[in-house]
Amino acid sequence: MCRWLAYSGSPMLLDAVLYQPEHSLINQSLHAKMGVETTNGDGFGIGWYSEDGGGTPAVFRDIGPAWSNTNLRELASHIRSTLFFAHVRASTGSAIQQTNCHPFRHGRWLWMHNGAITDFARLQRDLCMAVDPALFPCIQGSTDSEVMFYLAVTFGLDQDVPGAVARMAGLVERLGKEHGVADPLQMTVAVSDGEQVWAFRYSSQGRSRSLFYSSRAETVRQLYPELPFLKEVSDATRLVVSEPLGDLPGVWNELPEASYVVVPPAGPEDYLPFIPELP
């Protein structure tokens, strides 16, 4: 499987999040604690929006391991962003090639995924046939993750993010049942339009891959007033991660099964239920 993180908040150098924490994503690429695999060395990617927000995001992806990539280290120490994604990959069978590395981009949207569609080869044709014909040429790689993305775009990502992802998941569940595939979907997904981040945790089996979100910044300040970097970030600053970046009590919260979180939150709830729908 894979490990990923999504950051939203005050402008931040990518280096401060990707490299500096005790259990950073770069550390996880070699020494993951909660993933199916310890090592995630089958490529990596970062996607970021400009510091003033919005617009088309930039993407940098490579097929080598993140822990030894000097270009990534160089970029991370110079790129500052208010919203960025980072992903380290462990292939579940698809080819190790740049077009299969996350995050995926379409217009203003970024998408990344940890998990798999079980027996994807059996479902692939029917899933691809459900993608809007106008979007189909945009699919560049061979992963289930990218097909999931373009299904969500097909099902109305621009208008209703949770609904579009729910309809994508519902289609996978329905086709899995029709093809006799048990427990067809395993996913933690992050998607962003440059303004907000939506992160989903769901699996057909009810045993989803790990996913955590950070507590509200004001809560963390009260717990750890001595930490200097907390004085520099806004109250809206949050992270969603496959694994906590450190072990400070009260900072990280596990996202429950079959739920999703929005950053910045649209209301008082920290998370909301996620239920697949038939498209």
Side-chain angles (χ1 to χ4, degrees):
M1 298 296 174
C2 310
R3 306 280 83 184
W4 59 254
L5 69 79
Y7 172 88
S8 175
S10 298
M12 184 76 66
L13 280 174
L14 273 61
D15 178 82
V17 179
L18 296 186
Y19 286 92
Q20 293 183 22
E22 174 187 356
H23 188 50
S24 69
L25 189 69
I26 304 305
N27 176 274
Q28 292 174 36
S29 69
L30 194 55
H31 301 294
K33 298 177 180 178
M34 298 180 178
V36 176
E37 297 88 6
T38 300
T39 303
N40 298 272
D42 295 331
F44 68 87
I46 54 174
W48 69 96
Y49 295 86
S50 63
E51 193 170 336
D52 56 3
T56 301
V59 173
F60 172 64
R61 303 182 293 178
D62 204 302
I63 61 172
W67 64 78
S68 61
N69 192 283
T70 56
N71 289 328
L72 176 62
R73 189 68 192 247
E74 182 76 11
L75 289 171
S77 64
H78 288 82
I79 295 171
R80 187 182 300 272
S81 175
T82 58
L83 200 163
F84 57 87
F85 283 7
H87 185 282
V88 292
R89 183 173 185 242
S91 172
T92 56
S94 55
I96 299 171
Q97 60 193 46
Q98 193 175 88
T99 54
N100 284 344
C101 294
H102 309 222
F104 302 102
R105 175 182 62 190
H106 179 74
R108 63 193 173 107
W109 294 99
L110 285 176
W111 172 282
M112 58 185 175
H113 168 231
N114 174 34
I117 295 176
T118 306
D119 288 340
F120 177 57
R122 292 171 63 185
L123 308 183
Q124 185 174 9
R125 182 181 182 278
D126 287 347
L127 289 169
C128 287
M129 290 294 288
V131 173
D132 185 330
L135 294 171
F136 189 79
C138 300
I139 299 176
Q140 298 180 340
S142 58
T143 64
D144 49 1
S145 305
E146 191 177 17
V147 172
M148 291 165 63
F149 178 29
Y150 282 99
L151 284 169
V153 176
T154 297
F155 294 147
L157 197 65
D158 273 325
Q159 293 79 39
D160 174 15
V161 173
V165 177
R167 289 185 283 276
M168 176 277 295
L171 177 66
V172 175
E173 296 276 23
R174 178 173 67 80
L175 290 175
K177 184 176 181 179
E178 291 176 1
H179 286 268
V181 176
D183 303 322
L185 184 58
Q186 173 72 246
M187 71 175 205
T188 63
V189 161
V191 58
S192 180
D193 61 354
E195 300 295 330
Q196 289 183 294
V197 175
W198 293 260
F200 301 84
R201 185 178 186 223
Y202 176 80
S203 64
S204 309
Q205 195 176 17
R207 295 169 58 186
S208 301
R209 302 292 180 249
S210 59
L211 196 63
F212 296 81
Y213 62 94
S214 63
S215 297
R216 297 173 188 264
E218 61 266 32
T219 301
V220 181
R221 282 195 196 94
Q222 292 173 6
L223 290 171
Y224 303 101
E226 73 280 7
L227 295 180
F229 78 91
L230 290 172
K231 299 175 183 177
E232 302 173 8
V233 300
S234 69
D235 289 344
T237 299
R238 306 289 285 274
L239 283 130
V240 186
V241 297
S242 294
E243 297 185 14
L245 305 184
D247 58 3
L248 290 175
V251 174
W252 301 102
N253 311 278
E254 185 173 14
L255 190 64
E257 286 284 345
S259 64
Y260 71 95
V261 63
V262 185
V263 179
E269 304 90 352
D270 271 346
Y271 59 86
L272 296 162
F274 177 78
I275 303 171
E277 302 175 5
L278 288 177

